[in-house]
Amino acid sequence: MGQEFESDRAIVTGGSRGIGWSVAEELVAQGARVLLVARHQDALKTRVDELNRRFPGQAFFYACDMGNQPACAQAVVQYALNTIGQPTLLLNGAGGASITNALDAPWSLWVDDFQVKFFGYLAMTRAVLPLMMQQRKGVIVNLVGIAGKDPNRNLPIASAINGALNGVMKVLADDVSAYGVRIINVNPGATETDLLETMAQATAKRSGDSVENVLKAMRARAPLGRLPSAADVAGVILFLMSHRAAFITGTSVDVDGGIHRGAF
């Protein structure tokens, strides 16, 4: 695809690992100037140093707590303006999925998870949209999750957050479509990242089974015979950010290997 994104300036939250890192790496390789955002400064610096050794001057980082909203989003966007320039791309990818059940999960966990992912995504989107609307171009991709369509009793908070994101991002996509700005949600299922290992450990602790057996069962449920990699999901996100997906907005795309059983 060459330098497909050389005129783009991208913000990637959750950019130090997993799917976010895969997207950031590909964007930089294809010419974009990219600001990686995550909580831990050391991990971000390591990633950005790696990118700048290969592509000098194209990658930057900003460490902040995505649960501290809207202050974090405002600081990220201001830093982006001072480094990469006006953002034309945003990947909202920060936040995990707590393994729990709806009745036992402490109230603080509900609040914390919503603050990081739902309000984190919403704050970042609201912070960049005026800049994209001013330029009359831009793409926002939200890394949501299949639990927003298939509520999971072991992921009640993520199911609620993802469902809420599907709703609000559809509304926002309608609001900005006349300005040439697109918003799309991407819904992975279980994906082969370090987060999968963390989720398997939590599931094993609750069930009394081994982590190895939990991972084996997760992989066995995949209709295609394997779980997607971070690169599998990143490839779809890069396509949706590209001009080839110029007529896709206000919808969600499942990247789960067919594990979602609904008709939509």
Side-chain angles (χ1 to χ4, degrees):
M1 287 187 283
Q3 298 295 295
E4 184 167 7
F5 295 99
E6 65 182 343
S7 64
D8 285 298
R9 287 82 63 201
I11 299 173
V12 177
T13 74
S16 64
R17 63 179 188 169
I19 296 167
W21 164 246
S22 290
V23 170
E25 187 176 29
E26 281 297 315
L27 284 171
V28 169
Q30 295 183 38
R33 290 167 61 84
V34 178
L35 176 62
L36 281 72
V37 181
R39 182 174 299 178
H40 300 296
Q41 181 165 315
D42 290 346
L44 283 169
K45 185 177 185 306
T46 297
R47 291 300 201 185
V48 167
D49 287 347
E50 177 184 340
L51 288 174
N52 283 330
R53 279 193 294 271
R54 295 157 54 197
F55 308 98
Q58 285 183 231
F60 302 82
F61 71 89
Y62 189 87
C64 74
D65 181 356
M66 294 301 294
N68 180 24
Q69 296 299 353
C72 177
Q74 293 166 353
V76 167
V77 171
Q78 185 58 56
Y79 191 77
L81 290 172
N82 294 336
T83 52
I84 61 173
Q86 283 198 321
T88 57
L89 302 173
L90 168 65
L91 173 67
N92 279 315
S98 297
I99 304 292
T100 183
N101 64 51
L103 292 177
D104 291 343
W107 190 254
S108 59
L109 186 61
W110 282 87
V111 172
D112 289 348
D113 282 6
F114 260 88
Q115 190 67 17
V116 171
K117 188 167 183 180
F118 178 80
F119 288 110
Y121 283 25
L122 181 59
M124 283 300 308
T125 300
R126 283 166 53 101
V128 302
L129 275 178
L131 298 171
M132 291 181 174
M133 293 163 70
Q134 182 184 56
Q135 299 173 86
R136 303 194 72 83
K137 67 175 181 178
V139 183
I140 297 171
V141 176
N142 302 295
L143 198 58
V144 179
I146 203 65
K149 291 184 174 181
D150 273 340
N152 186 323
R153 63 185 303 221
N154 294 317
L155 298 169
I157 305 176
S159 298
I161 291 169
N162 295 349
L165 284 170
N166 283 335
V168 74
M169 292 300 171
K170 174 62 174 177
V171 171
L172 288 170
D174 289 344
D175 286 345
V176 300
S177 60
Y179 294 89
V181 179
R182 300 187 291 115
I183 302 177
I184 310 107
N185 291 348
V186 168
N187 298 319
T191 305
E192 294 282 3
T193 66
D194 53 356
L195 180 60
L196 181 71
E197 181 75 21
T198 301
M199 293 175 66
Q201 290 171 356
T203 301
K205 184 176 180 179
R206 282 167 52 81
S207 67
D209 205 348
S210 68
V211 173
E212 181 179 310
N213 284 342
V214 170
L215 286 169
K216 184 177 179 180
M218 286 180 173
R219 291 163 178 150
R221 288 195 294 269
L224 289 179
R226 69 174 180 89
L227 296 178
S229 66
D232 289 324
V233 182
V236 174
I237 292 171
L238 268 288
F239 166 72
L240 292 171
M241 288 178 166
S242 76
H243 69 278
R244 290 166 295 157
F247 216 65
I248 299 176
T249 191
T251 190
S252 63
V253 178
D254 301 341
V255 191
D256 65 346
I259 203 165
H260 168 54
R261 302 311 305 159
F264 61 91

